[in-house]
Amino acid sequence: MTQRRVLQWFAAAFTLAALALPAAAGAHPEECASTNALTGAPSAEWFADWTAENDGCMSAAAVRGFDDSDAQLTAAGAVDGTPNLTLTSNTPKPAPFENTADFNSDLAFEDGYAYGGNYDGVQIWDVRGATPRLESFIHCPGSQNDVTVNDGILVTSTDSRRTDDTCASGVTSTPSAPTTWEGLKIFDVRNSAEPKFVKSVRTDCGSRTHTVIPERNRLLVYVQSYDVAAGRYECDGDHDKISIVTIPKKNPRGAEVIAEPVLFPDGGNDGTFGTLRATTGCHDITVYPEKGLAAGACTGEGVIMSIRNPVEPKVLANIEDPNFAFWHSATLSNDGKRVLFTDELGGGGQPTCNSTVGPNRGADAIYDISDPSDPVFMSYFKIPREQTDQENCVAHNGNLIPNSKGRDVLVQSWYQGGTSVIDWTNPRNVEEIAWFDRGPISETALVLGGFWSTYYYNGRIYGSEIQRGFDVFELNDSRVEGAENFRYRTLNAQTQEKF
């Protein structure tokens, strides 16, 4: 099969009533949160179509131009949803992670423990019972602390310039290589009550996220990064490569970068085909080792890759979509014949679930990849409930729920849009079968919050809520019958296993 670039030439029928400011940091919600203090009425130039520079943060004036009059949600802090999805437990963020700026991020699971990333470190929860219990924590600042765990080896991503590679490091604006550090940190969590720092691995352009391919004697780690901020080491403009790190299981201290494959030798999407952002690196890659496939969400485009030789991933197809502002993440169907990509319009910190933005932006897009070299667009999905201007809301992280009926059922987070469960077995007729929503954190101001991740693991759904802590849900629906019979020792959502 040869590499093919697929352009979706359907009409991008999307006109905003207000124009956003130039992008500051796509898919970097803490940056967008800090821009909302901007004031002042928009000039005439504001009232135009969304353009290539506007995939990131929006000013307060732009947000005031959104029409959220159809939002019919409960008051701040209240709960609404469907009766088949029940919140059974909420545990607030524990010290020292209780501050508003200490955002909860992603989740990983192993041996009945949940590892919750946070911009200030990692929380380790015992989830073998109905109510989570805090086993221990690692205080180690370094956004965004994306997490994976395999065979007692915990890996975290650091994507902000630090003074050094220790957990006592500080933030620095110095861009020069000898005095700053970004990359991976490795911990030994075989004794979850006493996690131990093992090794750091510096990677070019830092590590926004990472994905693990477990092998018998080692872990292969794909490191994804892009131009979050200017002046970062080996991250000038187009960042067309990923870093591959090997971690020997018997000697994690021997971890090192072994390859830096270039995925976009032609520079990728240059932003001239109606899409909103040029390709400047990858935000996330989901691998399906059993199928030898991977799907990459790479800022300005989606890619389908062969990972038959995982050290030399091969791009089979590139996808561009004029309705996508920021290709954020991907989920493959259980049979590997379809892929669901997410668009993180507004960087995760903006209120894009309203009638102004509409149903096809900040949404999921599903493609048929029966022929991985020739993806075929099938449909979009976005939660049908409009949110207020006080709620950051856009498609974000989730995973498949195993079931005995052979259905593709996804639980997915939508920041302050709550969590949604969809059946996308029929990719042209996606059905939402359950949802949960607390309403806005504040009724008067947009406070960054909501679900970063919601994942199914061994009978329950777990949610990492940026501000409101760690949630546990039970789902009762015939379409996921038998899900509790599928037991996983390890779950990293971006490393898929067949059920």
Side-chain angles (χ1 to χ4, degrees):
M1 291 180 288
T2 58
Q3 181 176 341
R4 181 173 179 179
R5 185 168 290 275
V6 179
L7 307 179
Q8 293 305 121
W9 287 112
F10 43 81
F14 178 73
T15 301
L16 286 180
L19 181 65
L21 290 181
H28 208 52
E30 69 274 20
E31 295 290 340
C32 288
S34 67
T35 69
N36 277 337
L38 294 174
T39 59
S43 66
E45 287 75 20
W46 284 72
F47 298 98
D49 290 345
W50 194 283
T51 64
E53 289 75 36
N54 301 304
D55 62 310
C57 308
M58 306 171 197
S59 71
V63 169
R64 284 197 297 272
F66 288 154
D67 178 9
D68 64 348
S69 60
D70 289 333
Q72 298 178 353
L73 299 181
T74 54
V79 172
D80 200 358
T82 53
N84 56 347
L85 184 62
T86 306
L87 177 69
T88 61
S89 173
N90 168 257
T91 307
K93 293 189 294 186
F97 306 102
E98 68 269 43
N99 294 328
T100 303
D102 294 334
F103 306 136
N104 279 343
S105 59
D106 215 354
L107 294 167
F109 302 84
E110 187 165 77
D111 293 333
Y113 290 86
Y115 295 80
N118 179 285
Y119 277 53
D120 220 25
V122 179
Q123 302 155 31
I124 303 176
W125 299 93
D126 183 340
V127 294
R128 292 174 293 182
T131 302
R133 179 181 64 83
L134 186 66
E135 177 81 358
S136 62
F137 64 84
I138 302 169
H139 187 242
C140 195
S143 64
Q144 60 186 15
N145 276 325
D146 188 56
V147 290
T148 60
V149 61
N150 288 269
D151 294 324
I153 299 172
L154 175 71
V155 183
T156 66
S157 285
T158 300
D159 197 38
S160 58
R161 292 191 295 260
R162 312 297 301 181
T163 53
D164 56 56
D165 66 347
T166 71
C167 288
S169 68
V171 178
T172 178
S173 59
T174 303
S176 58
T179 56
T180 62
W181 182 87
E182 298 178 87
L184 300 180
K185 290 189 177 78
I186 301 168
F187 299 86
D188 180 348
V189 292
R190 287 174 296 178
N191 180 351
S192 57
E194 297 183 2
K196 298 177 181 178
F197 176 74
V198 174
K199 174 76 181 287
S200 71
V201 180
R202 184 179 191 156
T203 55
D204 289 354
C205 206
S207 175
R208 187 61 181 168
T209 65
H210 67 271
T211 304
V212 174
I213 300 178
E215 296 185 339
R216 181 177 179 182
N217 296 317
R218 66 177 181 177
L219 304 178
L220 284 179
V221 184
Y222 287 180
V223 177
Q224 291 90 227
S225 53
Y226 60 96
D227 58 334
V228 172
R232 302 174 63 214
Y233 180 58
E234 295 295 333
C235 196
D236 299 328
D238 295 339
H239 184 68
D240 294 328
K241 67 182 182 181
I242 61 173
S243 298
I244 301 180
V245 174
T246 182
I247 305 176
K249 290 184 180 180
K250 291 185 177 180
N251 179 30
R253 293 183 185 276
E256 61 180 343
V257 176
I258 60 169
E260 294 179 322
V262 174
L263 301 183
F264 308 102
D266 64 350
N269 169 28
D270 62 7
T272 61
F273 291 103
T275 45
L276 298 180
R277 182 187 178 109
T279 302
T280 54
C282 290
H283 180 274
D284 220 334
I285 294 174
T286 294
V287 296
Y288 200 158
E290 184 175 335
K291 300 293 183 180
L293 285 175
C298 298
T299 64
E301 63 189 278
V303 298
I304 307 300
M305 295 186 286
S306 169
I307 56 169
R308 295 294 181 188
N309 180 353
V311 181
E312 297 181 4
K314 179 182 179 182
V315 176
L316 303 175
N318 311 70
I319 310 167
E320 298 174 18
D321 184 336
N323 278 322
F324 262 46
F326 189 95
W327 295 74
H328 177 273
S329 55
T331 302
L332 292 154
S333 62
N334 190 48
D335 63 7
K337 294 182 179 181
R338 292 177 302 281
V339 61
L340 181 149
F341 285 106
T342 67
D343 171 26
E344 196 177 39
L345 172 69
Q350 306 295 293
T352 66
C353 295
N354 52 57
S355 57
T356 304
V357 175
N360 296 339
R361 304 297 299 275
D364 301 328
I366 301 171
Y367 290 81
D368 186 314
I369 56 169
S370 300
D371 178 355
S373 67
D374 187 20
V376 177
F377 173 77
M378 305 298 283
S379 68
Y380 294 115
F381 171 80
K382 189 172 182 178
I383 56 172
R385 293 164 300 286
E386 293 200 4
Q387 309 290 300
T388 68
D389 287 350
Q390 287 70 52
E391 295 168 284
N392 56 302
C393 175
V394 76
H396 215 238
N397 293 352
N399 75 330
L400 291 183
I401 300 176
N403 61 87
S404 59
K405 295 193 172 184
R407 307 195 70 82
D408 288 309
V409 178
L410 179 79
V411 57
Q412 183 178 14
S413 56
W414 291 80
Y415 287 105
Q416 285 195 72
T419 186
S420 174
V421 181
I422 63 171
D423 185 340
W424 57 296
T425 309
N426 180 349
R428 294 192 184 276
N429 185 25
V430 179
E431 180 184 2
E432 184 177 52
I433 64 175
W435 60 274
F436 170 91
D437 187 1
R438 280 193 175 90
I441 292 173
S442 168
E443 293 180 340
T444 59
L446 197 165
V447 177
L448 180 66
F451 287 108
W452 185 288
S453 305
T454 43
Y455 296 137
Y456 181 92
Y457 174 69
N458 290 356
R460 298 185 178 94
I461 292 172
Y462 296 91
S464 177
E465 224 280 3
I466 293 172
Q467 300 293 354
R468 292 178 276 204
F470 188 42
D471 287 337
V472 185
F473 296 90
E474 288 188 0
L475 175 66
N476 294 293
D477 193 281
S478 61
R479 282 157 285 200
V480 293
E481 182 180 347
E484 68 280 359
N485 297 325
F486 293 87
R487 312 299 290 183
Y488 295 104
R489 181 197 171 200
T490 303
L491 176 70
N492 297 297
Q494 286 73 44
T495 305
Q496 289 192 215
E497 297 181 44
K498 194 176 190 320
F499 57 78

